[in-house]
Every structure is written in C-alpha cells, then in structure tokens.
C-alpha cells in the first residue's frame, strides 16, 4: 500500500522536525509526504525545503487550518499513485511500527481500500489523556473516491477546527467502514496536557 501522508503545520518547526524524524524511522517506508504550512507561514516552508528537498511543501495564503491542509493534500495529489491517505498534525510523533501496523490492519479489513482506520493516541506522561479515534486516520483510496462529487474535500470546509473529523467518522461508521486500530500508536504532545508544549499555534 503506497501512502500519501499529509501534514498540517503552522509555526511549529521543531515539532514538525520531531514528527519527520519519527517518519524517517518507520519500519514501513512506502510513502510520500506533503506538508502544508498554514496562513502564509513561509518561514517554516523555506526551512523544510532546505532540510528535506524530497518533501512536497506548500503554503496556504490564509488561515484554513488542518481542514484546509488535508483537503489540499488530497486534492492536489488525487492523480498520483497512492492507495491510502494519512492526515497528521505537527505535534505528534509515531512509534516506529505505527505505519506498518496501520497498513496491515487496514488491508486485513478493507481488501479493496474502501474504509478508514483510526490511530491509537497516547500523550507521554499523561495517562489521563483522552482522544477520539477519528482524530488522525488512514483512509483508503476507494473510500476517498466517495468524496469525488465535492472535489475530494474529505473534511467539510464549513468547519474550522472541531467536528469535521467526527462528521467523517459518523458517516464511515454508519456504513461499517471505520475501525479503531489499537496497535498503530502515535504520541500526541497535546499542549492542553503537556504544558511545555504550549505555543501560539495552540492558542489560535
């Protein structure tokens, strides 16, 4: 399964580097990365292009948040050869076998790629952390084709932050196309729990 990994970021260069380092160390390496820097964050874009010339980097000229970034990743790569899309945010880090576990789980349940699986999230040193299984997912290409009539907007643009992923989950679950994958683990350094991670982006 060839993956397209879309990363939404805004003024978090060090956190983004942490995520990219974890992707480099994955046991599964069949993927391309597309980073979208929100709200004209040219500084981050230029730094990533300098350090990682092999990565696709684009800049959103205005605030379109995670929703806009993930939609753009899918829309602009829809004619490329990939079988699954993973949408990530910049303050996460994947366990070394997370992609391998996610791909295996997805293929076991959706042979034709028509489905979505959710990543298991942990917040380091915060066992009280709670998350939604649909927050960061692996979507199969055939499932994404269901969004063709709305120009492959996998996230409803009427939202800004909350609920767009929940809406996707409700739809996928209603047709038995969503499963949580406990084995595919990512660490989410959520500023609401990890105070040292607090920044301007979280406030926005």
């Amino acid at each position: 399964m060839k993956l397209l990994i879309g990363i939404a970021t805004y003024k978090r260069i060090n956190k983004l580097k942490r995520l990219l380092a974890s992707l480099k160390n994955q046991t599964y390496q069949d993927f391309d990365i597309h980073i979208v820097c929100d709200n004209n964050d040219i500084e981050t874009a230029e730094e990533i292009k300098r350090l990682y010339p092999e990565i696709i980097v684009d800049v959103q000229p205005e605030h379109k948040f995670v929703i806009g970034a993930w939609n753009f990743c899918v829309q602009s790569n829809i004619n490329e050869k990939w079988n699954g899309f993973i949408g990530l945010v910049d303050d996460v880090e994947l366990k070394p076998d997370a992609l391998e576990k996610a791909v295996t789980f997805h293929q076991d349940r959706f042979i034709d790629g028509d489905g979505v699986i959710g990543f298991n999230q942990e917040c380091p040193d915060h066992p009280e952390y709670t998350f939604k299984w649909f927050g960061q997912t692996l979507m199969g290409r055939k499932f994404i084709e269901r969004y063709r009539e709305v120009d492959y907007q996998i996230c409803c643009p009427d939202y800004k932050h909350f609920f767009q992923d929940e809406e996707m989950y409700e739809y996928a679950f209603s047709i038995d196309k969503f499963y949580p994958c406990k084995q595919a683990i990512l660490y989410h350094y959520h500023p609401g729990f990890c105070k040292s991670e607090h920044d301007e982006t979280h406030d926005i």
Side-chain angles (χ1 to χ4, degrees):
M1 174 183 259
K2 177 65 176 289
L3 300 174
L4 171 64
I5 299 178
I7 303 173
T9 191
Y10 181 64
K11 294 186 176 181
R12 282 179 164 175
I13 187 67
N14 289 328
K15 294 179 181 181
L16 184 56
K17 289 178 183 177
R18 178 175 60 195
L19 169 56
L20 293 176
S22 75
L23 290 173
K24 183 179 180 180
N25 291 327
Q26 289 297 300
T27 57
Y28 189 90
Q29 285 291 316
D30 192 7
F31 59 81
D32 291 326
I33 301 172
H34 188 167
I35 296 173
V36 178
C37 304
D38 195 29
N39 197 32
N40 206 35
D41 184 9
I42 296 174
E43 184 177 354
T44 296
E46 290 180 346
E47 178 73 356
I48 293 301
K49 288 178 182 179
R50 183 181 68 84
L51 294 172
Y52 307 93
E54 73 280 7
I55 293 178
I56 303 168
V57 182
D58 281 295
V59 178
Q60 293 186 138
E62 57 189 25
H63 262 316
K64 292 188 177 180
F65 303 93
V66 174
I67 292 168
W70 287 353
N71 282 344
F72 182 77
C73 285
V74 172
Q75 291 170 323
S76 60
N77 290 283
I78 200 63
N79 293 321
E80 303 299 324
K81 293 182 179 179
W82 47 271
N83 311 107
F85 173 75
I86 295 177
L88 299 175
V89 292
D90 49 19
D91 61 348
V92 301
E93 178 183 29
L94 277 65
K95 287 190 66 175
D97 63 353
L99 293 185
E100 181 179 359
K101 297 291 187 183
V103 167
T104 299
F105 188 85
H106 194 283
Q107 291 179 325
D108 285 347
R109 279 148 187 80
F110 307 110
I111 298 175
D112 59 356
D114 187 13
V116 185
I117 64 107
F119 280 81
N120 193 355
Q121 298 187 35
E122 297 179 2
C123 185
D125 300 320
H126 289 276
E128 77 280 12
Y129 174 68
T130 58
F131 71 97
K132 303 295 186 182
W133 283 101
F134 45 79
Q136 290 170 91
T137 65
L138 165 53
M139 291 185 175
R141 181 67 178 254
K142 188 172 181 179
F143 181 83
I144 289 174
E145 285 298 323
R146 294 170 179 270
Y147 292 82
R148 178 185 297 177
E149 293 183 5
V150 291
D151 192 25
Y152 296 102
Q153 295 179 104
I154 58 170
C155 303
C156 177
D158 293 335
Y159 300 107
K160 285 189 176 179
H161 182 60
F162 294 109
F163 302 119
Q164 56 83 16
D165 46 9
E166 186 165 1
E167 183 173 273
M168 177 280 299
Y169 163 74
E170 289 181 354
Y171 168 57
F173 183 78
S174 72
I175 56 174
D176 195 30
K177 297 295 183 180
F178 187 96
Y179 287 90
C181 181
K182 295 181 179 180
Q183 300 92 339
I185 300 172
L186 61 80
Y187 301 119
H188 194 166
Y189 296 88
H190 197 292
F193 293 85
C194 302
K195 301 305 180 183
S196 62
E197 298 278 329
H198 185 269
D199 56 17
E200 174 190 356
T201 300
H202 178 66
D203 291 338
I204 293 172

